[in-house]
C-alpha cells in the first residue's frame, strides 16, 4: 500500500465533512377500510414518527442487528463527485430512480452478538434524535440497554461514526463498553502537528475528535490492522477515505460478511462507478485503488457486504458489471 501524503490527505475534505407506512386496510370482518377498526370504535391516533428501524440477520452463529441512525438528504454540490461533471452525477441518480440534484445518505451501525458479547461497530451521529441520531432510541425500541454493550469498535473518526459515543449531555453512551479505535486513525487525528498544518476547513474535525474522546482519556484501546477484535471479527486496513480507515471481516462457520464502513458512499454513484471520487475521501486516488481492489475480491468470492451508507438495512452483494459493479440487496431473511 502506498503511503498517504499529507498533502493528499488534507486536500479535498477541508470543506466537507415519515411518516409510518400506513396500510390500505380491507373491507373484511366489519373493519372500516384503511382504519383497522370495527364500526363504532374510536379511531386510534397513528404514531407521530417512524417506528424504530432494526433488522436482525445471521452470519453463521453470529446475530447481526442493523440499527438505523436515520438518514438525511443534502443538496448535490458541484464538487460532491470531484472528477465528474454535475450532469453525469444527476444522470446516475436518475438511472437509480433517485431525485436529481440531491443526495440521500443513510447511516447504519451494526450490533453483533458474538462470542457471548455485544459488539457495536460505529455509533452514528449522536445528539438529540431527529432525521439522524436515532441509534439509542432504536436500541431502546428493540430492548437493548446501552449498558449491556461490551465493546464499541470504531472504523474511523468522521463525526457520523464517533459522535454517538456520547449522550447529548456529553456522558459515555455505552458506559460499560471497551472503546477500540484504529491505531493509525488515532495517530493521525491526535497529532498536534497534523492539526496545526490542516486547512481551516478540516480543523473542526480534529477538534471534534478531541471533544468526543476526552471522557475516555486513558481508556481507549488502539488496535492494529489484521487484529482479531472478537471471535471471527478482524480489522482490515482500507485507507484513503481517511488515513486509518478500517473495514472488518466477520467470519463464522462457512459464512462471511465484509463490513466495509465508508469504502463507498451512495451505491448508485460509487459502487456503480468505483473510479468516481467522493468529496469525503481524504485521499481520493488511494480510496479508488483500495475500493476497486476490494470490490474485485468481494465480487469474485461472492461475499456479502454491509455498507454504513448503503440503503437500510445496508446488506448486499456486489457483481462485476463492466468497469463498475452492480449492487444487489440481500434477500430479506429476518431472525425473529
Amino acid at each position: 500500500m502506498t503511503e498517504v501524503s499529507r498533502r493528499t490527505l488534507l486536500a479535498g475534505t477541508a470543506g466537507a465533512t415519515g411518516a409510518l407506512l400506513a396500510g390500505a386496510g380491507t373491507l373484511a370482518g366489519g373493519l372500516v377500510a384503511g382504519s383497522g377498526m370495527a364500526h363504532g370504535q374510536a379511531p386510534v391516533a397513528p404514531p407521530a414518527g417512524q417506528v424504530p428501524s432494526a433488522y436482525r440477520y445471521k452470519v453463521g452463529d453470529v446475530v447481526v442487528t442493523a440499527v438505523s441512525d436515520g438518514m438525511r438528504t443534502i443538496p448535490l454540490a458541484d464538487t460532491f463527485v470531484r472528477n465528474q461533471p454535475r450532469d453525469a452525477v444527476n444522470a446516475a441518480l436518475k438511472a437509480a430512480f433517485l431525485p436529481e440534484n440531491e443526495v440521500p445518505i443513510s447511516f447504519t451501525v451494526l450490533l453483533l452478538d458474538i462470542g457471548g458479547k455485544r459488539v457495536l461497530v460505529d455509533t452514528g451521529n449522536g445528539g438529540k434524535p431527529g432525521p439522524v441520531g436515532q441509534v439509542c432510541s432504536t436500541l431502546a425500541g428493540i430492548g437493548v440497554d446501552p449498558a449491556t454493550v461490551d465493546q464499541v469498535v470504531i472504523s474511523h473518526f468522521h463525526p457520523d461514526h464517533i459522535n454517538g459515543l456520547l449522550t447529548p449531555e456529553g456522558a459515555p453512551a455505552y458506559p460499560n463498553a471497551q472503546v477500540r479505535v484504529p491505531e493509525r486513525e488515532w495517530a493521525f487525528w491526535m497529532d498536534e502537528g497534523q492539526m496545526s498544518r490542516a486547512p481551516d476547513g478540516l480543523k473542526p474535525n480534529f477538534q471534534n475528535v478531541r471533544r468526543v474522546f476526552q471522557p475516555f482519556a486513558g481508556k481507549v484501546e488502539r488496535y492494529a490492522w489484521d487484529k482479531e477484535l472478537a471471535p471471527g471479527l478482524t480489522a482490515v486496513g482500507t485507507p484513503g477515505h481517511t488515513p486509518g480507515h478500517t473495514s472488518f471481516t466477520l467470519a463464522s462457520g462457512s459464512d462471511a460478511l465484509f463490513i466495509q464502513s465508508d469504502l463507498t458512499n451512495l451505491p448508485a454513484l460509487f459502487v456503480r462507478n468505483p473510479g468516481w471520487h467522493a468529496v469525503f475521501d481524504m485521499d481520493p486516488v488511494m480510496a479508488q485503488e483500495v475500493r476497486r481492489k476490494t470490490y474485485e475480491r468481494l465480487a469474485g468470492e461472492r461475499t456479502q457486504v454491509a455498507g454504513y451508507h448503503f440503503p437500510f438495512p445496508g446488506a448486499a452483494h456486489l457483481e462485476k458489471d463492466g468497469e463498475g459493479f452492480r449492487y444487489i440487496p440481500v434477500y430479506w431473511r429476518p431472525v425473529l
Side-chain angles (χ1 to χ4, degrees):
M1 189 71 65
T2 58
E3 287 295 319
V4 187
S5 71
R6 187 178 69 84
R7 179 183 63 80
T8 54
L9 282 171
L10 297 180
T13 51
T17 332
L20 182 68
L21 184 62
T26 60
L27 291 172
L31 296 181
V32 178
S35 70
M37 64 181 181
H39 288 292
Q41 289 182 343
V44 178
Q50 181 62 273
V51 297
S53 300
Y55 171 61
R56 290 188 179 97
Y57 59 101
K58 294 197 75 174
V59 176
D61 293 329
V62 178
V63 177
V64 179
T65 305
V67 180
S68 175
D69 193 45
M71 67 87 66
R72 63 161 49 104
T73 299
I74 62 175
L76 175 63
D78 288 340
T79 56
F80 185 78
V81 181
R82 295 193 196 120
N83 60 342
Q84 292 295 319
R86 185 186 188 92
D87 287 348
V89 179
N90 268 326
L93 291 170
K94 183 177 181 180
F97 296 89
L98 294 171
E100 298 177 51
N101 298 311
E102 61 184 48
V103 182
I105 302 180
S106 299
F107 306 85
T108 302
V109 309
L110 296 182
L111 179 67
L112 312 178
D113 286 299
I114 180 170
K117 302 288 186 181
R118 278 180 167 163
V119 179
L120 191 68
V121 182
D122 288 326
T123 65
N125 291 268
K128 294 184 178 179
V132 297
Q134 298 178 18
V135 167
C136 284
S137 60
T138 299
L139 290 176
I142 60 174
V144 175
D145 183 346
T148 65
V149 174
D150 298 288
Q151 184 180 152
V152 176
V153 175
I154 299 297
S155 65
H156 65 292
F157 286 0
H158 280 167
D160 56 316
H161 294 257
I162 65 172
N163 282 8
L165 278 167
L166 303 179
T167 67
E169 296 72 34
Y174 306 95
N176 298 318
Q178 172 67 56
V179 177
R180 310 179 80 178
V181 304
E183 61 183 10
R184 295 195 188 194
E185 193 77 347
W186 182 274
F188 178 82
W189 293 106
M190 288 298 187
D191 187 292
E192 295 296 327
Q194 293 283 9
M195 184 168 68
S196 68
R197 294 188 295 270
D200 289 344
L202 196 57
K203 281 185 168 64
N205 206 67
F206 283 89
Q207 295 159 357
N208 183 66
V209 168
R210 286 155 175 73
R211 177 190 69 86
V212 168
F213 287 107
Q214 191 279 328
F216 305 95
K219 300 178 182 178
V220 177
E221 179 184 331
R222 277 91 84 184
Y223 63 80
W225 289 338
D226 300 322
K227 180 179 177 60
E228 187 176 58
L229 303 174
L233 182 69
T234 303
V236 179
T238 49
H241 181 64
T242 65
H245 180 266
T246 303
S247 302
F248 309 91
T249 56
L250 174 62
S252 178
S254 60
D255 289 347
L257 175 71
F258 188 79
I259 303 170
Q260 71 143 35
S261 306
D262 282 11
L263 196 60
T264 50
N265 194 277
L266 183 64
L269 302 182
F270 304 106
V271 171
R272 186 70 192 90
N273 305 283
W276 287 13
H277 295 172
V279 68
F280 304 116
D281 291 340
M282 295 180 68
D283 185 334
V285 174
M286 175 172 281
Q288 171 187 331
E289 293 172 353
V290 171
R291 178 165 51 247
R292 189 177 293 279
K293 180 179 179 180
T294 302
Y295 280 1
E296 292 278 1
R297 176 177 62 82
L298 295 173
E301 296 173 353
R302 299 174 65 87
T303 301
Q304 185 171 312
V305 182
Y308 191 78
H309 295 299
F310 287 179
F312 186 79
H317 285 92
L318 307 178
E319 180 184 56
K320 190 75 173 70
D321 185 16
E323 292 300 310
F325 298 86
R326 191 161 68 96
Y327 176 86
I328 306 171
V330 298
Y331 196 81
W332 184 258
R333 297 184 187 274
V335 175
L336 303 177

